[in-house]
């Protein structure tokens, strides 16, 4: 029978954690996995983007064209105002790329638990969009200061497409670079890797091996 500590030590990644791992090179990969495992075993970590996401979804749902984003940028705690200023400016630009407010709306998405070799990966979107013409998009947001690399874009979109029947049936994946308001879609990354599945499975094998070699937190 497994103990809680043994369960916590099993390798596991979210889509965000795995795509960030893919972006690491050399010894930084092991250091990154070590940080993930320590945070998981100690329960550390904080998401500063929750209020931003709520405001963005409210602007989509209520067709307010960025008013909720503008309000949250002013009312968020002072320590987060610089971050929110950058995020809300780009998000307002992203909203403009979607068309007129009445032409799209929110639609529910679900999480998927996929397997890359022996590594479980939780794959999810931040929200779904349904357009009046029937198109559906599962949207994932990239919040980092630096734009997403080709590896991040390819890994994110490929894994979302792979499990789209669970996330948003008949939808297509989109990765939005929030700070710059730029959406990235699969047509940009076709041919970037000859065999994306093999590449990702190999990266997952490295992640799992590094996780297993790390000492368990006291």
């Amino acid at each position: 029978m497994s103990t809680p500590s043994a369960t916590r030590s099993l390798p596991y990644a979210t889509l965000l954690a795995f795509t960030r791992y893919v972006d690491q090179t050399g010894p930084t990969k092991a250091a990154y996995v070590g940080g993930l495992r320590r945070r998981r075993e100690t329960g550390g970590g904080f998401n500063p983007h929750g209020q931003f996401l709520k405001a963005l979804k409210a602007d989509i749902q209520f067709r307010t064209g960025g008013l909720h984003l503008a309000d949250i940028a002013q009312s968020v705690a002072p320590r987060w105002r610089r971050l929110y200023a950058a995020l809300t400016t780009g998000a307002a630009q992203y909203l403009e790329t979607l068309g007129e407010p009445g032409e799209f709306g929110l639609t529910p998405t679900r999480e998927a638990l996929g397997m890359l070799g022996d590594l479980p990966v939780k794959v999810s979107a931040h929200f779904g969009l349904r357009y009046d013409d029937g198109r559906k998009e599962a949207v994932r947001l990239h919040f980092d200061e630096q734009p997403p690399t080709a590896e991040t874009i390819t890994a994110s979109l490929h894994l979302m497409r792979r499990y789209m029947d669970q996330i948003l049936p008949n939808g297509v994946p989109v990765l939005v670079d929030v700070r710059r308001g730029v959406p990235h879609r699969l047509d940009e990354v076709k041919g970037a890797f000859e065999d994306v599945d093999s590449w990702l499975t190999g990266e997952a094998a490295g992640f799992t091996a590094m996780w297993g070699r790390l000492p368990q937190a006291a």
Side-chain angles (χ1 to χ4, degrees):
M1 183 174 180
S2 63
T3 64
S5 61
T7 301
R8 287 197 301 270
S9 68
L10 295 174
Y12 164 82
T14 63
L15 179 59
L16 175 63
F18 183 70
T19 54
R20 283 184 170 171
Y21 165 79
V22 165
D23 245 1
Q24 308 296 314
T25 57
T28 62
K29 282 184 177 287
Y32 178 76
V33 173
L36 282 176
R37 179 166 170 175
R38 285 190 295 274
R39 287 193 296 275
R40 182 178 173 195
E41 293 177 348
T42 60
F46 172 70
N47 177 13
H49 305 123
Q51 294 182 73
F52 165 83
L53 181 58
K54 183 177 179 180
L56 176 58
K57 291 170 71 173
D59 275 325
I60 294 172
Q61 180 178 356
F62 299 113
R63 305 177 181 182
T64 43
L67 292 179
H68 287 85
L69 288 169
D71 286 345
I72 198 62
Q74 296 299 318
S75 61
V76 72
R79 66 178 297 192
W80 301 116
R81 283 182 184 166
R82 183 175 179 183
L83 169 65
Y84 270 53
L87 295 178
T88 55
T89 299
Q93 295 172 358
Y94 162 65
L95 286 176
E96 292 179 0
T97 72
L98 300 178
E100 295 299 322
E103 296 175 350
F104 58 90
L106 292 176
T107 193
T109 61
R110 293 191 292 266
E111 294 181 346
L113 185 62
M115 294 295 297
L116 287 175
D118 295 327
L119 178 66
V121 180
K122 184 175 73 173
V123 184
S124 61
H126 285 101
F127 56 87
L129 291 177
R130 180 188 294 271
Y131 293 85
D132 284 353
D133 61 7
R135 290 178 296 127
K136 293 188 291 185
E137 293 180 342
V139 180
R140 178 125 194 124
L141 304 178
H142 176 87
F143 294 105
D144 294 355
E145 187 171 352
Q146 296 300 317
T149 63
E151 290 80 5
T152 294
I153 295 169
T154 300
S156 299
L157 296 180
H158 182 82
L159 285 171
M160 290 175 69
R161 178 178 62 177
R162 183 171 174 175
Y163 298 103
M164 191 58 67
D165 61 334
Q166 300 175 54
I167 298 169
L168 181 62
N170 301 314
V172 295
V174 179
L175 180 68
V176 176
D177 179 1
V178 178
R179 292 178 186 245
R180 284 148 286 271
V182 177
H184 296 278
R185 296 180 171 85
L186 280 168
D187 56 3
E188 298 178 38
V189 299
K190 288 180 180 178
F193 296 90
E194 290 183 2
D195 190 339
V196 178
D197 272 324
S198 294
W199 167 60
L200 293 177
T201 301
E203 292 286 348
F207 183 104
T208 303
M210 291 176 190
W211 188 287
R213 290 196 295 264
L214 293 166
Q216 186 169 323

